[in-house]
């Protein structure tokens, strides 16, 4: 039963409160019919996400049954965490906060009746996080693209995913997912996103570098139209252009499209091809074979292999082995545990490429090492050992 203004003023006097210390607009709250704590979930949003919602855009909760749910906007991913509160939170549509009350509203005491639509003693907290992208490559490797289907063969659709399928399975925003697809050199074929089989990817790159050599072109000026015309007899033109996009920079000169091949990326891919079938490689021998394997005119350097290969200078002879950062655990503690299981002591130079992707916007690799590793000195060289993470 709703209260009258006189009843409210009498209650204020009984509570020994001064009416002049209170807002003149008084909200009288009543519960709606069949209201329960499970009707609504509350979520705390920062200014950016509030403006996102107010602009009519949506937020999406993503995650499989065996995963902790995350919230995604168009370009960011957030962890969802339940925060309990000792105060009961009421959902009251139309209720005005003190800063929304105008002078006219407060000229004299007035009673406003408002109905409670829901209540809760907890809410969702959001914390920005890195997208969970490791599963993307795993899904796309179920059916890697090895070239066009040969006449007479059936085109299998199992293990193929559209962008919509991937958004249902991958815990990332649309922009983060699109960026990762580009990073791993995936391409869209007949509406499905496919990851090229690495041997096929290297085959395409080999065709391009051989054409550059035979035509005596500069690696910084590879014409698209001629490349498609010459190599289209060997592979689909869209695959040739995709390879140029992956390993080069597109630009236009006098209305003609050219590509400048990226020397570091070509050398890096060649190194991966050499290392993928060997557990360890003699470093000196590898460097010699590597330089002989890249196109003439390109130079190889070990710094091209950061986050791809690991050099062991403590072994005799020195060795190098394949270690891709994308194959390591996404969780920070699991990543450090894995790295220190592989190698007891790390120099900062060696470990940095394998933890750099774990850093947040305002976090450095130094801060991560302080928390998850212990600094010591060995033969005058600073090295990091395993340690239990310190509390934050």
């Amino acid at each position: 039963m709703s209260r009258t203004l006189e009843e409210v003023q009498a209650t204020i006097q009984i509570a020994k409160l001064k009416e002049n210390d209170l807002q003149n607009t008084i909200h009288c709250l009543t519960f709606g019919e069949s209201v329960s704590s499970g009707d609504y979930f509350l979520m705390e949003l920062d200014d950016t996400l509030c403006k996102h919602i107010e602009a009519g855009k949506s937020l999406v909760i993503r995650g499989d049954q065996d995963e902790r749910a995350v919230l995604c906007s168009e370009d960011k991913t957030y962890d969802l965490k339940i925060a309990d509160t000792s105060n009961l939170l009421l959902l009251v549509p139309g209720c005005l906060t003190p800063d929304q009350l105008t002078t006219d509203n407060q000229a004299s005491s007035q009673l406003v009746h408002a109905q409670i639509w829901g209540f809760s003693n907890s809410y969702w907290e959001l914390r920005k996080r890195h997208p969970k992208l490791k599963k993307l490559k795993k899904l796309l490797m179920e059916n890697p693209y090895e070239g066009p289907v040969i006449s007479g063969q059936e085109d299998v659709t199992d293990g193929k995913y559209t962008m919509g399928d991937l958004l249902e399975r991958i815990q990332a925003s649309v922009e983060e997912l699109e960026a990762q697809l580009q990073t791993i050199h995936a391409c869209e074929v007949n509406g499905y996103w496919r990851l090229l089989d690495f041997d096929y990817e290297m085959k395409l790159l080999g065709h391009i570098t051989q054409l550059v050599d035979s035509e005596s072109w500069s690696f910084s000026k590879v014409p698209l139209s001629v490349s498609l015309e010459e190599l289209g007899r060997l592979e689909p033109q869209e695959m040739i252009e995709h390879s140029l996009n992956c390993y080069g920079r597109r630009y236009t000169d006098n209305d003609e499209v050219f590509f400048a091949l990226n020397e570091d990326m070509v050398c890096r891919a060649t190194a991966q091809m050499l290392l993928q079938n060997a557990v360890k490689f003699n470093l000196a021998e590898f460097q010699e074979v590597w330089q002989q394997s890249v196109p003439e005119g390109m130079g190889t350097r070990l710094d091209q292999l950061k986050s791809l290969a690991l050099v062991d200078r403590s072994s005799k002879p020195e060795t190098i082995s394949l270690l891709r950062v994308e194959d390591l655990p996404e969780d920070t503690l699991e990543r450090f545990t894995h790295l220190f299981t592989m190698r007891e002591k790390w120099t900062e130079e060696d470990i940095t490429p394998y933890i750099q992707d774990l850093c947040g916007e305002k976090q450095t690799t130094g801060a991560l090492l302080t928390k998850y590793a212990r600094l010591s000195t060995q033969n005058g060289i600073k090295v990091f050992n395993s340690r239990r993470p310190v509390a934050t």
Side-chain angles (χ1 to χ4, degrees):
M1 188 174 184
S2 299
R3 292 185 178 188
T4 64
L5 180 61
E6 289 73 19
E7 289 174 329
V8 172
Q9 290 172 331
T11 301
I12 291 174
Q13 290 180 354
I14 293 173
K16 297 182 179 181
L17 298 174
K18 294 182 180 179
E19 193 170 341
N20 291 337
D21 294 337
L22 306 177
Q23 296 284 347
N24 286 338
T25 300
I26 302 166
H27 286 83
C28 184
L29 305 181
T30 57
F31 284 94
E33 296 182 6
S34 304
V35 174
S36 73
S37 60
D39 289 342
Y40 298 93
F41 290 97
L42 303 180
M43 184 179 294
E44 186 179 57
L45 303 179
D46 60 19
D47 289 341
T48 301
L49 289 177
C50 279
K51 291 176 182 177
H52 184 89
I53 291 294
E54 290 168 353
K57 300 178 181 178
S58 61
L59 299 173
V60 183
I61 294 177
R62 294 195 170 106
D64 280 342
Q65 292 183 350
D66 59 342
E67 296 173 324
R68 292 186 61 179
V70 299
L71 184 87
C72 296
S73 63
E74 291 176 333
D75 60 348
K76 292 181 177 63
T77 301
Y78 300 84
D79 268 328
L80 286 167
K81 181 182 178 183
I82 293 180
D84 295 322
T85 174
S86 57
N87 297 320
L88 190 64
L89 303 174
L90 303 178
L91 181 59
V92 186
C95 184
L96 299 176
T97 57
D99 59 302
Q100 293 173 317
L101 296 172
T102 63
T103 305
D104 293 339
N105 292 137
Q106 304 177 66
S108 59
S109 295
Q110 56 180 313
L111 193 64
V112 176
H113 294 280
Q115 193 172 73
I116 299 170
W117 283 24
F119 61 91
S120 178
N121 59 0
S122 64
Y123 61 94
W124 288 104
E125 272 185 338
L126 302 182
R127 180 178 296 179
K128 191 177 172 184
R129 62 155 297 130
H130 291 290
K132 299 181 179 181
L133 295 165
K134 188 172 183 180
K135 190 166 73 172
L136 173 62
K137 194 168 184 178
K138 182 180 178 181
L139 291 177
L140 295 183
M141 283 302 294
E142 292 175 4
N143 190 350
Y145 184 76
E146 299 177 345
V149 177
I150 300 174
S151 179
Q153 287 187 343
E154 185 179 353
D155 188 10
V156 180
T157 57
D158 292 343
K160 293 182 182 179
Y161 299 90
T162 64
M163 178 60 78
D165 296 332
L166 293 174
L167 287 171
E168 289 289 326
R169 303 290 302 276
I170 305 299
Q171 292 185 297
S173 68
V174 174
E175 289 189 15
E176 290 167 331
L177 179 58
E178 289 175 342
Q180 185 65 10
L181 286 168
Q182 184 175 350
T183 297
I184 63 176
H185 296 174
C187 65
E188 193 172 12
V189 181
N190 298 326
Y192 296 100
W193 279 94
R194 310 289 299 278
L195 189 63
L196 271 60
D197 176 79
F198 186 67
D199 289 339
Y200 182 66
E201 184 174 341
M202 293 305 297
K203 180 182 177 182
L204 293 172
L205 181 60
H207 286 322
I208 292 169
T209 56
Q210 287 168 21
L211 179 64
V212 171
D213 180 61
S214 65
E215 297 290 339
S216 299
W217 292 335
S218 166
F219 287 118
S220 63
K221 197 167 187 179
V222 180
L224 174 61
S225 60
V226 180
S227 299
L228 296 181
E229 182 181 349
E230 293 294 326
L231 298 178
R233 307 184 187 103
L234 303 174
E235 298 292 343
Q237 290 190 351
E238 57 269 24
M239 289 295 106
I240 299 298
E241 187 169 357
H242 173 71
S243 184
L244 285 167
N245 278 312
C246 290
Y247 290 97
R249 176 182 56 84
R250 179 192 291 258
Y251 67 96
T252 304
D253 186 12
N254 292 326
D255 295 327
E256 186 176 356
V257 178
F258 293 90
F259 281 86
L261 293 183
N262 186 304
E263 179 177 317
D264 289 348
M265 293 183 68
V266 174
C267 292
R268 183 182 175 92
T270 305
Q272 181 176 338
M273 179 182 66
L274 295 172
L275 291 170
Q276 65 179 355
N277 295 320
V279 177
K280 285 188 177 181
F281 213 123
N282 179 294
L283 179 61
E285 293 177 359
F286 166 76
Q287 288 180 288
E288 183 179 351
V289 174
W290 182 27
Q291 181 59 59
Q292 293 171 352
S293 302
V294 299
E296 187 176 352
M298 289 191 173
T300 59
R301 306 184 315 275
L302 286 178
D303 64 3
Q304 294 167 334
L305 306 184
K306 289 181 179 179
S307 75
L308 175 71
L310 184 62
V311 174
D312 185 356
R313 298 196 180 278
S314 64
S315 66
K316 301 298 177 186
E318 295 177 342
T319 60
I320 185 170
S321 56
L322 187 69
L323 180 61
R324 298 178 300 186
V325 67
E326 62 262 32
D327 295 332
L328 299 176
E330 287 182 307
D331 178 77
T332 303
L333 180 55
E334 290 179 11
R335 173 83 61 87
F336 273 92
T337 301
H338 185 85
L339 289 172
F340 283 117
T341 300
M342 292 179 54
R343 179 184 285 188
E344 185 180 351
K345 297 177 181 179
W346 290 75
T347 63
E348 186 171 5
E349 181 182 4
D350 284 345
I351 200 171
T352 294
Y354 293 105
I355 62 173
Q356 211 153 19
D357 63 308
L358 299 173
C359 296
E361 289 183 347
K362 299 180 180 180
Q363 195 173 32
T364 63
T365 55
L368 281 177
L369 287 168
T370 299
K371 181 176 180 181
Y372 291 95
R374 184 178 71 254
L375 178 63
S376 62
T377 304
Q378 180 178 331
N379 299 325
I381 300 174
K382 292 181 179 180
V383 294
F384 291 91
N385 308 69
S386 176
R387 68 173 292 174
R388 292 194 172 198
V390 297
T392 55

